Amino acid sequence: MKKIIAAMCCIAMFSFLFIGCSKDDGGPDKDGTDSKMTWEKLVEKYPFMENFPKYDGDIEFPQYNKTFGMESVGFFDYKCDASMATKYYTKLATMGFTVNPNAEGIYTKTANGYDLTFTGAHSAGNFGMVFACNPID
């Protein structure tokens, strides 16, 4: 049941991120956060991200959320080829993540005391991703 709730939270966050985002040239936003970020800076800022394989594309508009102990980070890679998604899905599988047979783009794994969930989708040249980490009780 926890995994279903975690997946639903990821999907809800992913849906929220997909609305109202547009591409720009990066740099600080109105609230002082960067609209673009490197994977290394993302892992430094949100250490749970080290449980996921490095994403080699552009990281734009990263959004962090913590709800009921579950942490998540979502971001987009705009104007990228579908092969970026395919390559990342392969990296997840190589690291032992299991694809959900009923939902394309959802990968899960239990590691380091956490249930990890990745939710991603590529559409119209954009790749949206949400990385979630839920501590095991």
Side-chain angles (χ1 to χ4, degrees):
M1 184 67 171
K2 274 186 165 182
K3 289 184 180 184
I4 292 172
I5 292 171
M8 289 174 55
C9 289
C10 290
I11 291 168
M13 182 179 171
F14 179 71
S15 298
F16 175 73
L17 286 172
F18 198 67
I19 298 170
C21 292
S22 63
K23 184 175 178 73
D24 70 6
D25 293 328
D29 293 335
K30 291 178 185 174
D31 66 357
T33 61
D34 285 335
S35 61
K36 288 189 176 184
M37 186 177 281
T38 65
W39 183 263
E40 291 75 20
K41 285 183 183 178
L42 199 65
V43 170
E44 183 180 321
K45 193 169 184 177
Y46 310 110
F48 80 89
M49 294 292 292
E50 70 186 351
N51 293 296
F52 294 92
K54 178 182 178 180
Y55 180 68
D56 295 321
D58 293 332
I59 297 171
E60 302 179 60
F61 298 103
Q63 299 290 316
Y64 173 79
N65 187 24
K66 186 171 184 177
T67 305
F68 301 114
M70 182 179 80
E71 294 182 84
S72 62
V73 171
F75 60 81
F76 282 93
D77 184 352
Y78 292 98
K79 296 185 179 178
C80 72
D81 189 81
S83 66
M84 290 298 289
T86 303
K87 287 177 189 174
Y88 196 72
Y89 296 155
T90 300
K91 280 185 167 185
L92 288 163
T94 300
M95 281 189 65
F97 282 81
T98 303
V99 66
N100 183 325
N102 300 315
E104 184 179 341
I106 298 178
Y107 290 77
T108 58
K109 177 180 177 178
T110 300
N112 301 323
Y114 297 104
D115 283 329
L116 306 168
T117 305
F118 168 85
T119 306
H122 186 275
S123 179
N126 302 311
F127 187 26
M129 296 159 265
V130 177
F131 302 79
C133 175
N134 196 25
I136 297 172
D137 293 332

